[in-house]
Amino acid sequence: MAKKKKPNQKMQAWIDARKRHRLSHVHVQMARELGMNPRKLGKLDNHDQEPWKMPLRQYIEHLYVKRFGKERPDVVLSIEERIRFDGAKKARRRETKLLARQPGSVNESQD
C-alpha cells in the first residue's frame, strides 16, 4: 500500500481554510491565484455580523472577475490534486537530474 503524502504547511493552511469557511475547490484556487492569505480569510468572512460585507465566496468571485476578466479558472485542481501533481513533477525533475549525473550519459558524450 502506498504511503499517503502529508501536505506542506502552506497547502495545509488552504485545506483548513477551505473547511473552515466552506469554500469550494474553485474558490480556493481563485483565492490562491489572487494571492490571498488563507489565515486572513476570517476577517473577510464575517458578513453575518457586518451586513455591509459581501459573503466571502462572492467577494473572491468579484475580485477574480475584476483582475482576470473571467468568471472562473480554466482548469480547476483541488489542493490534494495539486499536491500529487507537484510531487510527480518533482519526481520527474529528480529523475532527469539523476540521469544527467550518471557517467556515460547522453549529455556528457555530446560535450
Side-chain angles (χ1 to χ4, degrees), residues 76-101:
V76 177
L77 294 174
S78 70
I79 298 294
E80 294 81 6
E81 289 172 339
R82 172 69 61 190
I83 292 168
R84 272 185 254 127
F85 180 75
D86 290 344
K89 187 176 179 181
K90 191 174 186 178
R92 282 194 307 268
R93 272 199 221 128
R94 190 177 301 131
E95 187 178 319
T96 54
K97 198 178 214 182
L98 184 67
L99 287 173
R101 286 184 184 171

Side-chain angles (χ1 to χ4, degrees), residues 41-99:
L41 293 179
K43 293 178 181 180
L44 303 172
D45 189 30
N46 60 1
H47 63 278
D48 292 332
Q49 295 92 357
E50 299 168 315
W52 50 268
K53 278 193 177 178
M54 193 182 297
L56 182 59
R57 291 181 205 96
Q58 291 177 3
Y59 185 63
I60 291 171
E61 290 171 359
H62 169 72
L63 291 177
Y64 194 83
V65 169
K66 190 174 174 182
R67 178 172 299 169
F68 297 108
K70 54 185 179 179
E71 294 291 321
R72 57 185 311 201
D74 296 329
V75 178
V76 177
L77 294 174
S78 70
I79 298 294
E80 294 81 6
E81 289 172 339
R82 172 69 61 190
I83 292 168
R84 272 185 254 127
F85 180 75
D86 290 344
K89 187 176 179 181
K90 191 174 186 178
R92 282 194 307 268
R93 272 199 221 128
R94 190 177 301 131
E95 187 178 319
T96 54
K97 198 178 214 182
L98 184 67
L99 287 173

Side-chain angles (χ1 to χ4, degrees), residues 8-18 20-21 23 28 31-32 35-45 56:
N8 61 15
Q9 288 182 339
K10 189 184 285 188
M11 292 299 190
Q12 187 61 48
W14 279 109
I15 292 170
D16 295 341
R18 182 183 68 206
R20 186 179 312 115
H21 302 291
L23 298 173
V28 170
R32 287 185 69 225
M36 292 180 145
N37 186 343
R39 292 181 206 100
K40 308 284 182 173
L41 293 179
K43 293 178 181 180
L44 303 172
D45 189 30
L56 182 59

